[in-house]
Amino acid sequence: MTPDAVGPHGRWGVTGALVILTAPIIVLYGWLLLASFSVTITGLVPHGLTLANWRFLWQTLPNEANAWVAAGNSLTFAVTVAVFEVLVGAMAAYALSRLTFPGRGLFLGSTIVLHSFPSVTLLIAIFLILRALGLYDRLAGVILVKLALDLPLGIWIMKGFFDGVPWDVEMAALVDGYSRIRVWWKVMLPLIRPGLFAFAIFAFLSGWNEFLLPYVLLPSQGSQTLSVLMASLSGEERFADYGLVTALSVFYILPAVAVFALTQRYLLRIFSGGVKG
Amino acid sequence: MDVVLEHVGKQFGRVTAVEGVSLTVGEGELVALLGPSGCGKSTTLFLVAGLYRPTSGRILFGGRVVNDATPQERGVGMVFQSYALYPHLTVFENIAFPLRVRRSRGAQIAERVRRVADLVGIAELLPRRPAQLSGGQQQRVALCRALVKEPAVLLLDEPLSNLDARLREATRAEIRRLQRELGITTLFVSHDQAEALSIADRVGVMHGGRLIAVMTPADLYERPPSRFIAEFIGTPPMNFLEARVEDGRLAVAGVMPRPLAHPVPPGTYLLGVRPEHLELAADGDLRAEVFLVEQMGREWLVHAACGDASLRLLTGAGAAVAVGSRVSLRLLWRRAHLFDSQSGAAVPFGLADDPR
Ligand SMILES: Nc1ncnc2c1ncn2[C@@H]1O[C@H](COP(=O)(O)OP(=O)(O)OP(=O)(O)O)[C@@H](O)[C@H]1O
Ligand SMILES: [Mg+2]
């Protein structure tokens, strides 16, 4: 629907409805931000102004991982996952979209089956395998696991992108004298770049938000990610410092919000097949 | 460089797309492949380009077998049925693309792109993107991209199919001029017979994956070797009348039997007559009733029923024919064709009282 399809009154109506619907979320995040700078919270009302809740920025909390180290781990984790998911996924997706080889159908079917398993059911097996490989409690290990679990869906999505590129364009490049791998690099990838970009951002956000895998597979403080640090702070039985938790929440959300705000216009393209017209 | 196909076949699984195609395209010659949709024209072109590998037979470029050579190694220029421009590149980069395979100098590339763009008349389009071009302009860009590497062999897959009639004619002439000028061995695919006949040195007619005839355009029109070709070539299409040969005489439905000059085996045949070889005449061979008159400018196309058969004939504009009137038609026997009703093969014949 184009913007013109709705009259000026209709547009205000739609905007109004959306504002009302999203208000609870906005209020919630606004409160979170406010609370992170407050001394105390009684009921729902924050009191006083302080930076003490943000002390994790300049000091390591007792018995906890350093927030910056955790953020670094989260960033490494998310970026590596995004990069490799796109790289490996794009190669696999191209092969599945364009080449015929023995076992192609089986491979396609099994990627979907893999994706339909809840990853929790695999945790014990993953734990044992990682330990045997010496990758337990190592970032690289969790990255591998995350890749393995998320790649199937990624391959399917990217296969859809490649399917949308006409054969002719690829054949033209072959006739123009390029080898298959160069055609992939010089023609196919640029053609689906918007889709790949959107997919990379989703992969990054998914990595940034990942909790279960790092929680189980990265027990030591040095390798903790932000999501695990968050959980550890808010899950304390003895006392939960709500001010601290809110501040850390804001710290944790900000990069995701920033990435989203900067890239949201590209994200929509993942649904339009990812091919640039 | 000449291109030779020897008994070339291509199968996709159980589907046979092309079978037993033998064809020689001489150096600098333009051969058109003509045939109905799905007859294997594009597949033949892809085989020559090296995009498909033949399942049988041999393909030779200048005497060298290229069956196993990749498209890069064959170095042909090709225009695809759908143009297949690179949407993410400008027109300039589209045309330069084949030159960028090797790391040629930028200035050199720019000069060659400009030269070929001037040749085809699209110099002012170079900074645009394919999406900002009309169909005809895209076609020219595709042609430039095929020509820029100065290929010895040019393959054109219905390059004019998306153009309007006027542009189609102009571009057709342009392709012919360029092809002659540069002396490129060319295979031109078309399902439009007028286009194929007008552009080609020779025309190959394909049917059901087979190449059933390769002839000059004039021969194809004047001496069709089979009923299929006679029917396929020529607009408006040829008329067919049931005929019998008995006792050395040719009997056509509703016409007095005529003695044959040379013996023809007795049996049933089809007599083929082109619309321009039927004339209105007071003492004609056939009587028919006019049921439709199509005015086509210079000529009128008259449809008339003669027994079960429906005949088409061309008359000058303003002829005295009215819908519903009965007319008498003279057959130009010398320009008529006789086809075996079973095999469809042309059978030479002549009338004793109307020698060829
Ligand atoms: N990749 C393929 N897999 C299976 N069958 C194919 C393939 N390509 C072509 N065919 C079949 O081979 C036959 C010839 O196809 P081709 O594209 O060469 O026809 P064409 O003469 O170019 O037709 P058109 O005028 O419609 O372009 C068709 O019956 C088609 O269905
Ligand atoms: Mg075709």
Side-chain angles (χ1 to χ4, degrees):
Chain A
M1 192 163 59
T2 59
D4 294 343
V6 186
H9 300 295
R11 206 170 318 156
W12 281 113
V14 170
T15 312
L18 288 177
V19 165
I20 291 168
L21 280 174
T22 50
I25 305 171
I26 293 170
V27 168
L28 226 57
Y29 279 116
W31 179 85
L32 197 65
L33 190 63
L34 212 62
S36 73
F37 290 103
S38 307
V39 182
T40 56
I41 303 159
T42 47
L44 282 176
V45 189
H47 294 288
L49 198 64
T50 177
L51 282 178
N53 294 330
W54 290 84
R55 64 184 178 277
F56 60 85
L57 289 182
W58 54 85
Q59 70 187 54
T60 304
L61 300 168
N63 301 322
E64 296 292 351
N66 181 295
W68 288 108
V69 171
N73 286 337
S74 275
L75 194 69
T76 314
F77 178 69
V79 168
T80 319
V81 162
V83 167
F84 278 94
E85 221 170 288
V86 168
L87 208 67
V88 177
M91 288 192 224
Y94 175 81
L96 287 170
S97 169
R98 288 300 206 244
L99 311 178
T100 48
F101 49 88
R104 176 176 176 275
L106 190 75
F107 192 89
L108 268 177
S110 58
T111 49
I112 278 299
V113 171
L114 267 182
H115 181 71
S116 57
F117 282 125
S119 49
V120 192
T121 57
L122 295 172
L123 273 180
I124 305 289
I126 288 171
F127 165 71
L128 292 174
I129 292 171
L130 283 190
R131 209 176 48 177
L133 291 175
L135 288 171
Y136 178 63
D137 202 17
R138 301 266 296 274
L139 210 51
V142 201
I143 288 171
L144 279 179
V145 172
K146 174 81 173 162
L147 277 175
L149 291 174
D150 281 6
L151 260 175
L153 184 67
I155 291 172
W156 266 92
I157 291 176
M158 284 186 266
K159 176 180 174 291
F161 297 164
F162 284 119
D163 287 346
V165 178
W167 273 95
D168 283 13
V169 176
E170 198 178 348
M171 297 217 252
L174 286 174
V175 168
D176 281 348
Y178 288 79
S179 62
R180 196 101 199 200
I181 183 95
R182 286 186 76 193
V183 172
W184 179 76
W185 180 252
K186 291 211 54 147
V187 177
M188 299 303 275
L189 284 193
L191 277 179
I192 63 166
R193 187 158 50 205
L196 286 185
F197 190 59
F199 183 78
I201 293 159
F202 277 116
F204 172 85
L205 291 176
S206 160
W208 184 259
N209 296 338
E210 179 64 46
F211 166 69
L212 186 64
L213 294 176
Y215 179 66
V216 177
L217 301 172
L218 295 173
S220 70
Q221 287 190 349
S223 51
Q224 250 178 30
T225 61
L226 260 187
S227 57
V228 178
L229 179 60
M230 276 284 319
S232 142
L233 277 179
S234 48
E236 290 281 353
E237 284 156 24
R238 293 156 289 144
F239 79 107
D241 183 340
Y242 287 120
L244 185 65
V245 172
T246 50
L248 193 66
S249 301
V250 175
F251 180 69
Y252 179 44
I253 294 164
L254 274 181
V257 171
V259 166
F260 205 86
L262 289 175
T263 59
Q264 48 132 336
R265 69 198 171 94
Y266 300 102
L267 293 186
L268 299 175
R269 300 202 201 159
I270 201 168
F271 300 114
S272 56
V275 177
K276 185 154 65 176
Chain B
M1 187 162 64
D2 62 341
V3 174
V4 177
L5 282 76
E6 287 178 354
H7 308 291
V8 171
K10 175 67 188 174
Q11 289 184 316
F12 296 104
R14 237 168 286 139
V15 182
T16 303
V18 167
E19 203 179 353
V21 167
S22 295
L23 173 69
T24 301
V25 187
E27 166 128 31
E29 190 184 22
L30 193 159
V31 171
L33 286 180
L34 180 62
S37 190
C39 69
K41 305 179 299 287
S42 294
T43 306
T44 307
L45 228 53
F46 286 179
L47 285 166
V48 175
L51 291 167
Y52 292 161
R53 187 184 291 254
T55 33
S56 61
R58 300 199 302 168
I59 298 174
L60 298 95
F61 278 25
R64 201 168 56 85
V65 178
V66 293
N67 274 30
D68 297 324
T70 60
Q72 295 116 283
E73 290 160 346
R74 300 194 196 187
V76 303
M78 181 156 175
V79 174
F80 287 76
Q81 203 162 349
S82 58
Y83 309 146
L85 299 178
Y86 309 117
H88 61 298
L89 300 177
T90 62
V91 168
F92 180 93
E93 282 304 326
N94 262 279
I95 300 173
F97 200 70
L99 301 177
R100 295 213 190 276
V101 179
R102 271 167 230 97
R103 290 199 168 63
S104 316
R105 284 215 351 270
Q108 223 171 337
I109 289 177
E111 197 219 304
R112 282 177 71 175
V113 169
R114 251 169 250 293
R115 201 170 49 206
V116 73
D118 276 339
L119 203 65
V120 180
I122 54 157
E124 74 284 1
L125 302 179
L126 288 177
R128 297 210 208 158
R129 278 181 196 272
Q132 301 164 327
L133 301 179
S134 74
Q137 291 168 330
Q138 290 186 29
Q139 192 269 321
R140 281 147 189 264
V141 175
L143 192 61
C144 280
R145 186 178 62 182
L147 289 173
V148 75
K149 54 182 174 180
E150 294 165 13
V153 176
L154 186 61
L155 306 173
L156 306 169
D157 194 353
E158 311 207 17
L160 312 177
S161 53
N162 292 348
L163 307 189
D164 69 53
R166 188 174 290 246
L167 195 56
R168 178 185 291 228
E169 207 161 292
T171 315
R172 189 166 73 198
E174 198 168 315
I175 289 177
R176 186 58 164 153
R177 179 178 62 79
L178 280 172
Q179 183 265 337
R180 281 235 175 89
E181 230 163 72
L182 306 173
I184 309 173
T185 307
T186 305
L187 254 178
F188 182 105
V189 161
S190 177
H191 64 251
D192 177 346
Q193 40 135 337
E195 185 174 291
L197 293 184
S198 65
I199 201 173
D201 293 313
R202 286 187 303 146
V203 178
V205 182
M206 292 195 71
H207 183 46
R210 295 182 161 277
L211 188 63
I212 54 175
V214 187
M215 309 172 84
T216 63
D219 274 353
L220 209 54
Y221 191 80
E222 316 249 332
R223 282 175 281 281
S226 74
R227 187 192 161 188
F228 173 79
I229 292 174
E231 211 169 6
F232 190 66
I233 305 285
T235 42
M238 188 181 272
N239 298 298
F240 290 96
L241 292 162
E242 285 179 19
R244 297 184 63 78
V245 171
E246 271 169 355
D247 312 328
R249 287 145 81 87
L250 176 66
V252 178
V255 183
M256 282 277 292
R258 309 280 294 261
L260 287 161
H262 313 287
V264 171
T268 57
Y269 292 86
L270 282 171
L271 186 76
V273 190
R274 294 211 180 273
E276 62 267 38
H277 299 144
L278 279 174
E279 289 176 354
L280 294 169
D283 56 343
D285 305 283
L286 294 159
R287 319 243 154 251
E289 186 177 329
V290 176
F291 64 87
L292 178 65
V293 178
E294 289 180 65
Q295 306 190 359
M296 311 193 302
R298 192 153 40 85
E299 291 170 316
W300 285 5
L301 177 61
V302 178
H303 299 257
C306 168
D308 300 337
S310 157
L311 298 176
R312 286 166 293 260
L313 64 139
L314 285 168
T315 68
V321 281
V323 172
S325 67
R326 295 195 65 82
V327 292
S328 162
L329 303 174
R330 179 157 55 221
L331 236 154
L332 298 186
W333 289 96
R334 251 174 284 183
R335 311 298 297 273
H337 309 270
L338 201 59
F339 302 101
D340 190 301
S341 65
Q342 243 82 68
S343 69
V347 178
F349 84 106
L351 295 185
D353 52 354
D354 181 26
R356 278 188 186 234

